[in-house]
Amino acid sequence: MALRMLGKDPESKSGGSPTIYLDEAKDSYLVQGLKVADQERLSQLDLPAHEDVVEIPRRMVQFFQEMRGDAGADV
């Protein structure tokens, strides 16, 4: 399975996260970000036990293909 990196947060201090990937085989996105652990925020979600939530800055939306209108970067 080949993933394509669409973009990393340009304001990340470490340069490695958050990151957005595209899995073309599954036609889905993979989002690397900070795991949400705040129980008050999690209680507002309808989150099944087999799922998790990560948080990314709003500025990261630019890396989703539909917003860019192009194919993005490769891993």
Side-chain angles (χ1 to χ4, degrees):
M1 164 179 55
L3 300 177
R4 283 195 317 142
M5 183 183 64
L6 299 180
K8 291 186 178 196
D9 183 357
E11 296 182 26
S12 171
K13 292 183 184 347
S14 67
S17 183
T19 307
I20 297 174
Y21 299 90
L22 173 64
D23 182 334
E24 291 179 323
K26 290 190 170 191
D27 196 27
S28 62
Y29 293 106
L30 284 79
V31 179
Q32 174 187 341
L34 298 173
K35 184 175 179 178
V36 176
D38 180 344
Q39 290 303 313
E40 183 177 341
R41 292 169 77 198
L42 290 172
S43 71
Q44 298 177 50
L45 303 173
D46 183 17
L47 190 64
H50 66 279
E51 294 183 2
D52 216 334
V53 175
V54 297
E55 184 171 8
I56 62 172
R58 189 175 193 170
R59 64 183 169 266
M60 295 292 293
V61 104
Q62 68 179 310
F63 296 113
F64 287 101
Q65 267 185 290
E66 290 81 3
M67 300 301 293
R68 294 169 54 122
D70 65 20
D74 289 326
V75 171

